[in-house]
Amino acid sequence: MFGSSPADAFEQKAQKLRRAVERARAQFSQKTRPQSVNRTSVALTGSYFDYLPVELIIDICCQTDWRDVTRLRLVSRAFKEFVDANESTIAVRWMVPGSYLALLSQLFYPPKSRVGDGVRRPTIQYFCGLEKRHITCSQLAYYLCDKAVAPMYGTRFTINWKDREEAKLKKDQAIRTVLHFLTYSRLRLEANKAAMAAENSDELLTLNDLNSAYLGIQSNILTTFDNQTLISTHHALHFLVNSIRLSMSPEPPHKQNDELVAIILRCPIPLNRCVEFFAADCPGAPRGLRKQFMQDMEGERADAEIRFGGGTAPRRSSSGHSREASRRKWSPRVSEVWFEAARIALAERGLQEHKPDGVYFFPECSQELLIGCPGCKLK
């Protein structure tokens, strides 16, 4: 020490001071780290989030969009574990009354919890599915509004953005109910077919069996619709089917491609196929888009014939006679989807004659555009 230079002495003092600062920092971190945080559900992120209560972090996430929380989940393993542990709590608070997500959640229920208690809890993946359904319904409402309003304007007018949005919003709710009906009727039919096949493994399911089961399933779903929802959905499906008919067969008979229309309504993603059809049918649409749509529909037909065609191979009855003669080629009809069940429901409720939906009104037009069905009567 006696022979050390002033520079060495200064360096030693600096090292002592650095070690003292590090000890003080470690002691401060140990004292200020919250002990109430459940570390089994929240991992350390190495940021100031570690010092915030879990309730506050959840509240921050609830003030953001579900897409932002999805991105936060991809930041690190710690954030992923936090979001996974609290996503149900966050998702419930995203259900803002009146929002499109809240309205769609009333039609499409959340999945059952992975905990195993059987309670339905919304998840981020569930919100992603609702967003996709919302986009599909909005796109289809957009195309249907074009189909409805364009003839009224002819070549003299063009549909401005404000008028288009007004018409689309008024029809969007009916399109959501259409999607709800088509989705759940198909899923219940597939489940019902599997149960029937398990109970009657030695008998061949016929087309009549499946059609009767399908009609019963649809009728049960319609019992949950109030009168106005039933009528609005009836009008929306009429307009949707007739728009596709006219696009595919501009010259009479307009029903000559009904088999393809029926397959579209019975496929796993019916409204997506409708959107693809209208996109391919737009003037100037690429030929490749139309070709791809027809190829997809060929695949849908083959798949639907396997699932709903009434069986795959003939079997013999107890009398020894082949039941091949009782089978017929599967030829789906449009009336099998919604329309037959709706006709029965309307008759039971005394709604065969009802008012049309006056859903569109534009300043350039002298009256409302009435969207309805053959049963509509102006009262």
Side-chain angles (χ1 to χ4, degrees), residues 10 14 48 54 66 78 84 91 94 97 113-114 141 156 173 184 190 201 212 277 284 287 318-319 325 335 338 347 364:
F10 181 78
Y48 285 106
V54 176
W66 67 268
D84 291 347
W94 278 335
S113 175
R114 293 189 292 264
R156 297 180 55 193
Q173 181 60 43
Y184 283 111
E190 291 179 348
S201 57
S212 298
F277 170 80
R287 178 182 294 181
S318 58
S319 62
S335 59
W338 173 270
E364 295 90 345

Side-chain angles (χ1 to χ4, degrees), residues 35-46:
Q35 300 298 323
S36 60
V37 175
N38 183 6
R39 293 300 165 187
T40 61
S41 61
V42 181
L44 299 181
T45 64

